[in-house]
Amino acid sequence: MSVSEARDAAMAFRGLQAEPAAVAAVHDRTIPGADGELPIRIFVPGGEGPLPVLTYFHGGGWVIGNLEVADKPCRALAAASGAIVVATQYRMAPETKFPGAVDDCYAALQWVAANAAEFGGDPSRLGVIGDSAGANLAAVVALKARDEGGPRIRAQVLTYPVTDATSDLPSRRENAEGYLLTAGSMDWFWRHYLREPGDGKNPYASPLLAADHSGLPPALVLTMEFDPLRDEGEAYAEKLKAAGVPVTLQRYDGLIHGTYWMTAAIERSGELYRAIAEFVRSELAVQ
Protein backbone atom coordinates (compact mmCIF):
# COMPACT_ATOMS: atom_id res chain seq x y z
CA MET A 1 0.00 0.00 0.00
CA SER A 2 0.90 3.62 -0.30
CA VAL A 3 1.13 5.60 2.93
CA SER A 4 -2.23 7.26 2.29
CA GLU A 5 -3.88 3.90 1.54
CA ALA A 6 -2.44 2.40 4.72
CA ARG A 7 -3.72 5.33 6.75
CA ASP A 8 -7.20 4.95 5.28
CA ALA A 9 -7.15 1.21 6.00
CA ALA A 10 -6.19 1.81 9.64
CA MET A 11 -9.42 3.72 10.18
CA ALA A 12 -11.29 0.42 9.75
CA PHE A 13 -10.19 -0.55 13.26
CA ARG A 14 -12.90 1.77 14.57
CA GLY A 15 -15.49 -0.70 13.32
CA LEU A 16 -13.86 -3.48 15.34
CA GLN A 17 -14.13 -1.64 18.65
CA ALA A 18 -16.85 -2.07 21.26
CA GLU A 19 -18.55 0.90 22.83
CA PRO A 20 -16.62 1.48 26.06
CA ALA A 21 -17.87 2.49 29.46
CA ALA A 22 -18.64 6.18 29.74
CA VAL A 23 -16.12 8.67 31.05
CA ALA A 24 -16.89 11.91 32.87
CA ALA A 25 -15.36 14.27 30.30
CA VAL A 26 -13.32 14.42 27.10
CA HIS A 27 -11.32 17.53 26.17
CA ASP A 28 -9.61 18.28 22.85
CA ARG A 29 -6.84 20.84 22.81
CA THR A 30 -3.42 21.59 21.38
CA ILE A 31 -0.13 21.83 23.23
CA PRO A 32 3.41 22.87 22.28
CA GLY A 33 5.32 20.05 20.63
CA ALA A 34 8.98 19.81 19.73
CA ASP A 35 8.31 21.68 16.47
CA GLY A 36 4.83 23.17 16.41
CA GLU A 37 1.47 22.45 18.00
CA LEU A 38 0.29 18.92 18.83
CA PRO A 39 -3.34 17.80 19.17
CA ILE A 40 -4.13 15.91 22.35
CA ARG A 41 -7.32 14.38 23.73
CA ILE A 42 -7.84 14.15 27.49
CA PHE A 43 -10.14 11.43 28.85
CA VAL A 44 -11.26 12.04 32.43
CA PRO A 45 -12.93 9.13 34.26
CA GLY A 46 -15.34 9.55 37.12
CA GLY A 47 -13.97 9.69 40.63
CA GLU A 48 -12.63 12.18 43.10
CA GLY A 49 -9.39 13.83 42.09
CA PRO A 50 -6.62 14.46 41.82
CA LEU A 51 -6.26 11.35 39.67
CA PRO A 52 -3.23 9.55 38.24
CA VAL A 53 -2.39 10.42 34.64
CA LEU A 54 -1.34 8.16 31.77
CA THR A 55 0.23 9.76 28.71
CA TYR A 56 -0.76 7.50 25.83
CA PHE A 57 0.99 7.09 22.46
CA HIS A 58 -0.91 5.25 19.72
CA GLY A 59 0.42 2.44 17.59
CA GLY A 60 0.59 2.21 13.82
CA GLY A 61 4.27 1.85 12.97
CA TRP A 62 4.88 5.61 13.40
CA VAL A 63 3.11 5.97 10.02
CA ILE A 64 -0.60 5.22 10.53
CA GLY A 65 -3.15 5.63 13.32
CA ASN A 66 -4.46 8.78 15.01
CA LEU A 67 -6.54 10.04 17.90
CA GLU A 68 -9.78 8.91 16.24
CA VAL A 69 -8.69 5.28 15.94
CA ALA A 70 -7.48 5.36 19.55
CA ASP A 71 -10.55 7.16 20.93
CA LYS A 72 -12.58 4.15 22.10
CA PRO A 73 -9.55 2.28 23.48
CA CYS A 74 -8.58 5.39 25.48
CA ARG A 75 -12.11 5.73 26.86
CA ALA A 76 -12.03 2.07 27.86
CA LEU A 77 -8.60 2.49 29.46
CA ALA A 78 -9.66 5.55 31.48
CA ALA A 79 -12.86 3.87 32.65
CA ALA A 80 -11.11 0.63 33.63
CA SER A 81 -8.07 2.14 35.34
CA GLY A 82 -9.56 5.22 36.99
CA ALA A 83 -6.68 7.24 35.55
CA ILE A 84 -6.87 10.29 33.30
CA VAL A 85 -5.60 9.37 29.84
CA VAL A 86 -3.90 12.01 27.70
CA ALA A 87 -3.65 10.73 24.13
CA THR A 88 -1.04 12.51 22.06
CA GLN A 89 -0.87 12.91 18.28
CA TYR A 90 2.81 13.03 17.38
CA ARG A 91 4.27 13.88 13.97
CA MET A 92 4.15 10.90 11.66
CA ALA A 93 6.59 9.28 9.26
CA PRO A 94 7.56 9.50 6.49
CA GLU A 95 6.80 13.24 6.55
CA THR A 96 8.72 13.48 9.84
CA LYS A 97 11.49 10.95 10.35
CA PHE A 98 13.08 9.70 13.58
CA PRO A 99 13.51 11.25 16.12
CA GLY A 100 10.58 13.62 15.48
CA ALA A 101 7.97 11.36 17.08
CA VAL A 102 10.22 10.79 20.11
CA ASP A 103 10.72 14.51 20.59
CA ASP A 104 6.98 15.18 20.34
CA CYS A 105 6.06 12.45 22.81
CA TYR A 106 8.65 13.66 25.29
CA ALA A 107 7.34 17.22 24.92
CA ALA A 108 3.85 15.88 25.63
CA LEU A 109 5.02 14.15 28.79
CA GLN A 110 6.67 17.37 29.96
CA TRP A 111 3.47 19.30 29.29
CA VAL A 112 1.38 16.76 31.18
CA ALA A 113 3.72 16.90 34.17
CA ALA A 114 3.54 20.71 34.22
CA ASN A 115 -0.22 20.99 33.65
CA ALA A 116 -1.81 17.88 35.17
CA ALA A 117 -3.46 19.78 38.01
CA GLU A 118 -5.31 21.93 35.48
CA PHE A 119 -7.44 18.96 34.37
CA GLY A 120 -7.71 17.12 37.69
CA GLY A 121 -4.51 15.10 37.46
CA ASP A 122 -1.84 14.39 40.05
CA PRO A 123 1.62 15.25 38.65
CA SER A 124 3.23 12.96 41.22
CA ARG A 125 1.45 9.91 39.72
CA LEU A 126 2.44 9.81 36.06
CA GLY A 127 2.64 6.83 33.74
CA VAL A 128 3.33 6.28 30.05
CA ILE A 129 1.51 3.74 27.91
CA GLY A 130 1.40 2.67 24.29
CA ASP A 131 0.74 -0.19 21.92
CA SER A 132 3.11 -1.43 19.21
CA ALA A 133 5.02 1.61 17.88
CA GLY A 134 3.30 3.59 20.62
CA ALA A 135 4.78 1.19 23.17
CA ASN A 136 8.16 1.80 21.54
CA LEU A 137 7.63 5.52 22.10
CA ALA A 138 6.50 4.98 25.70
CA ALA A 139 9.63 2.93 26.44
CA VAL A 140 11.84 5.50 24.75
CA VAL A 141 10.20 8.41 26.58
CA ALA A 142 10.92 6.59 29.85
CA LEU A 143 14.58 6.24 28.81
CA LYS A 144 14.76 9.90 27.77
CA ALA A 145 13.17 11.12 31.00
CA ARG A 146 15.73 9.12 32.97
CA ASP A 147 18.65 10.31 30.85
CA GLU A 148 17.66 13.98 30.87
CA GLY A 149 16.32 14.30 34.40
CA GLY A 150 12.79 14.76 33.11
CA PRO A 151 9.46 14.15 34.82
CA ARG A 152 9.35 11.21 37.19
CA ILE A 153 7.42 8.34 35.59
CA ARG A 154 6.07 5.81 38.06
CA ALA A 155 4.82 3.21 35.57
CA GLN A 156 5.22 2.17 31.95
CA VAL A 157 2.76 -0.07 30.11
CA LEU A 158 4.07 -1.62 26.91
CA THR A 159 1.57 -3.59 24.83
CA TYR A 160 3.32 -5.70 22.17
CA PRO A 161 6.18 -3.18 21.96
CA VAL A 162 8.57 -2.65 19.05
CA THR A 163 11.99 -2.69 20.71
CA ASP A 164 14.67 -3.52 18.13
CA ALA A 165 14.99 -2.50 14.49
CA THR A 166 17.69 -5.13 14.03
CA SER A 167 15.67 -8.02 15.52
CA ASP A 168 15.74 -11.45 13.89
CA LEU A 169 14.34 -13.39 16.83
CA PRO A 170 12.31 -16.59 16.27
CA SER A 171 8.86 -15.02 16.53
CA ARG A 172 9.66 -12.71 13.64
CA ARG A 173 10.15 -15.76 11.44
CA GLU A 174 7.50 -18.04 13.01
CA ASN A 175 4.79 -15.36 12.72
CA ALA A 176 6.06 -13.61 9.60
CA GLU A 177 2.77 -14.05 7.74
CA GLY A 178 -0.87 -14.67 8.48
CA TYR A 179 -1.50 -12.86 11.78
CA LEU A 180 -2.42 -9.29 10.74
CA LEU A 181 0.99 -7.72 11.35
CA THR A 182 3.63 -9.26 9.09
CA ALA A 183 7.40 -9.15 9.15
CA GLY A 184 7.26 -7.38 5.79
CA SER A 185 4.98 -4.71 7.24
CA MET A 186 7.47 -4.06 10.03
CA ASP A 187 10.24 -3.62 7.45
CA TRP A 188 7.98 -1.13 5.61
CA PHE A 189 7.31 0.82 8.80
CA TRP A 190 10.99 0.96 9.76
CA ARG A 191 11.98 2.17 6.28
CA HIS A 192 9.50 5.04 6.56
CA TYR A 193 10.47 5.94 10.14
CA LEU A 194 14.27 5.90 10.10
CA ARG A 195 16.38 8.50 8.31
CA GLU A 196 18.94 5.81 7.52
CA PRO A 197 19.44 2.19 8.58
CA GLY A 198 22.05 3.22 11.15
CA ASP A 199 19.34 4.98 13.16
CA GLY A 200 18.01 1.55 14.03
CA LYS A 201 20.92 1.09 16.45
CA ASN A 202 20.05 4.28 18.33
CA PRO A 203 18.49 3.30 21.70
CA TYR A 204 15.84 6.00 21.21
CA ALA A 205 14.70 4.01 18.17
CA SER A 206 15.51 0.54 19.54
CA PRO A 207 15.25 0.67 23.33
CA LEU A 208 16.38 -2.96 23.63
CA LEU A 209 19.82 -1.78 22.50
CA ALA A 210 20.26 0.80 25.28
CA ALA A 211 23.51 0.30 27.19
CA ASP A 212 21.80 0.73 30.55
CA HIS A 213 18.24 -0.11 31.57
CA SER A 214 18.58 0.63 35.27
CA GLY A 215 16.54 3.32 36.97
CA LEU A 216 13.54 2.94 34.66
CA PRO A 217 9.96 2.84 35.97
CA PRO A 218 8.19 -0.42 36.83
CA ALA A 219 6.87 -2.01 33.64
CA LEU A 220 3.95 -4.09 32.48
CA VAL A 221 4.84 -5.80 29.20
CA LEU A 222 2.08 -7.59 27.29
CA THR A 223 2.93 -9.87 24.36
CA MET A 224 0.80 -11.99 22.01
CA GLU A 225 1.65 -15.54 20.99
CA PHE A 226 1.09 -15.05 17.24
CA ASP A 227 2.96 -11.77 16.77
CA PRO A 228 6.23 -11.12 14.94
CA LEU A 229 7.14 -8.74 17.79
CA ARG A 230 6.54 -11.24 20.60
CA ASP A 231 10.15 -12.15 21.28
CA GLU A 232 11.57 -8.63 21.13
CA GLY A 233 8.94 -7.49 23.62
CA GLU A 234 9.84 -10.34 25.95
CA ALA A 235 13.55 -9.67 25.44
CA TYR A 236 12.96 -6.09 26.55
CA ALA A 237 11.16 -7.29 29.67
CA GLU A 238 14.15 -9.51 30.48
CA LYS A 239 16.57 -6.62 29.94
CA LEU A 240 14.59 -4.51 32.40
CA LYS A 241 14.50 -7.33 34.95
CA ALA A 242 18.25 -7.86 34.65
CA ALA A 243 18.75 -4.16 35.39
CA GLY A 244 16.69 -4.39 38.56
CA VAL A 245 13.48 -2.86 37.20
CA PRO A 246 10.26 -4.42 38.56
CA VAL A 247 8.57 -6.08 35.57
CA THR A 248 5.32 -7.92 35.03
CA LEU A 249 5.44 -9.87 31.77
CA GLN A 250 2.29 -11.50 30.42
CA ARG A 251 2.07 -13.48 27.19
CA TYR A 252 -1.42 -14.07 25.78
CA ASP A 253 -1.51 -17.42 24.02
CA GLY A 254 -3.79 -17.59 21.01
CA LEU A 255 -3.89 -13.82 20.42
CA ILE A 256 -2.40 -11.61 17.70
CA HIS A 257 -0.90 -8.18 17.29
CA GLY A 258 -3.64 -5.55 17.18
CA THR A 259 -5.85 -7.16 19.82
CA TYR A 260 -5.80 -3.98 21.92
CA TRP A 261 -7.60 -2.10 19.11
CA MET A 262 -10.18 -4.84 18.44
CA THR A 263 -12.38 -4.91 21.52
CA ALA A 264 -15.54 -5.91 19.60
CA ALA A 265 -13.89 -8.43 17.30
CA ILE A 266 -11.76 -10.23 19.91
CA GLU A 267 -13.60 -10.88 23.15
CA ARG A 268 -10.40 -11.70 25.02
CA SER A 269 -9.13 -8.16 24.45
CA GLY A 270 -10.81 -7.39 27.75
CA GLU A 271 -8.09 -9.42 29.44
CA LEU A 272 -5.53 -6.83 28.34
CA TYR A 273 -7.54 -3.93 29.71
CA ARG A 274 -8.09 -5.68 33.04
CA ALA A 275 -4.37 -6.44 33.39
CA ILE A 276 -3.46 -2.85 32.57
CA ALA A 277 -6.05 -1.45 34.97
CA GLU A 278 -4.79 -3.66 37.81
CA PHE A 279 -1.18 -2.64 37.17
CA VAL A 280 -1.99 1.07 36.92
CA ARG A 281 -4.08 1.06 40.09
CA SER A 282 -1.24 -0.70 41.93
CA GLU A 283 1.68 1.39 40.67
CA LEU A 284 -0.06 4.77 40.66
CA ALA A 285 -1.88 4.42 43.97
CA VAL A 286 -1.66 7.31 46.41
CA GLN A 287 1.54 7.06 48.42
Side-chain angles (χ1 to χ4, degrees):
M1 293 184 180
S2 68
V3 168
S4 61
E5 288 170 340
R7 288 173 177 166
D8 288 344
M11 298 300 286
F13 277 101
R14 293 181 299 174
L16 303 176
Q17 296 169 354
E19 292 298 327
V23 294
V26 178
H27 307 292
D28 284 311
R29 61 181 301 173
T30 57
I31 63 172
D35 184 22
E37 297 291 298
L38 298 177
I40 65 167
R41 186 166 292 172
I42 304 171
F43 303 83
V44 184
E48 184 177 347
L51 299 172
V53 185
L54 297 172
T55 305
Y56 168 79
F57 311 119
H58 68 77
W62 312 279
V63 176
I64 64 177
N66 53 39
L67 297 183
E68 296 306 321
V69 175
D71 183 86
K72 288 180 182 178
C74 286
R75 290 173 188 264
L77 174 62
S81 68
I84 295 170
V85 176
V86 181
T88 300
Q89 181 61 64
Y90 47 88
R91 288 172 294 162
M92 308 287 282
E95 295 87 349
T96 300
K97 298 280 193 175
F98 170 83
V102 172
D103 294 340
D104 283 348
C105 292
Y106 187 61
L109 172 69
Q110 292 177 304
W111 183 90
V112 167
N115 296 276
E118 177 185 326
F119 49 86
D122 182 349
S124 71
R125 292 188 287 159
L126 301 179
V128 291
I129 180 170
D131 49 287
S132 192
N136 168 278
L137 292 168
V140 168
V141 163
L143 280 169
K144 193 171 175 69
R146 181 204 64 182
D147 294 346
E148 299 185 6
R152 182 192 174 207
I153 303 171
R154 284 178 45 179
Q156 55 178 324
V157 178
L158 313 177
T159 301
Y160 35 75
V162 185
T163 68
D164 183 5
T166 68
S167 173
D168 189 31
L169 293 169
S171 66
R172 190 174 174 87
R173 299 187 296 274
E174 294 167 5
N175 304 316
E177 298 284 345
Y179 302 109
L180 188 66
L181 179 69
T182 67
S185 296
M186 278 311 306
D187 292 339
W188 186 86
F189 287 131
W190 277 117
R191 286 196 301 272
H192 283 301
Y193 182 51
L194 302 178
R195 296 167 299 188
E196 59 184 10
D199 280 341
K201 297 181 180 180
N202 188 314
Y204 288 170
S206 298
L208 184 65
L209 304 184
D212 178 15
H213 293 87
S214 63
L216 292 170
L220 173 64
V221 182
L222 307 180
T223 63
M224 309 295 117
E225 180 183 11
F226 297 114
D227 182 357
L229 303 181
R230 182 195 69 212
D231 290 351
E232 63 187 82
E234 294 177 3
Y236 193 64
E238 294 304 320
K239 280 273 191 178
L240 293 175
K241 285 182 184 179
V245 176
V247 177
T248 302
L249 171 63
Q250 294 183 213
R251 180 194 289 191
Y252 291 85
D253 289 338
L255 295 184
I256 65 171
H257 193 93
T259 293
Y260 185 78
W261 276 8
M262 295 190 285
T263 50
I266 301 178
E267 184 177 355
R268 286 185 60 202
S269 64
E271 296 176 25
L272 278 62
Y273 286 84
R274 288 190 289 274
I276 293 169
E278 180 180 348
F279 178 79
V280 168
R281 290 181 184 277
S282 173
E283 295 298 329
L284 299 184
V286 176
Q287 295 180 355

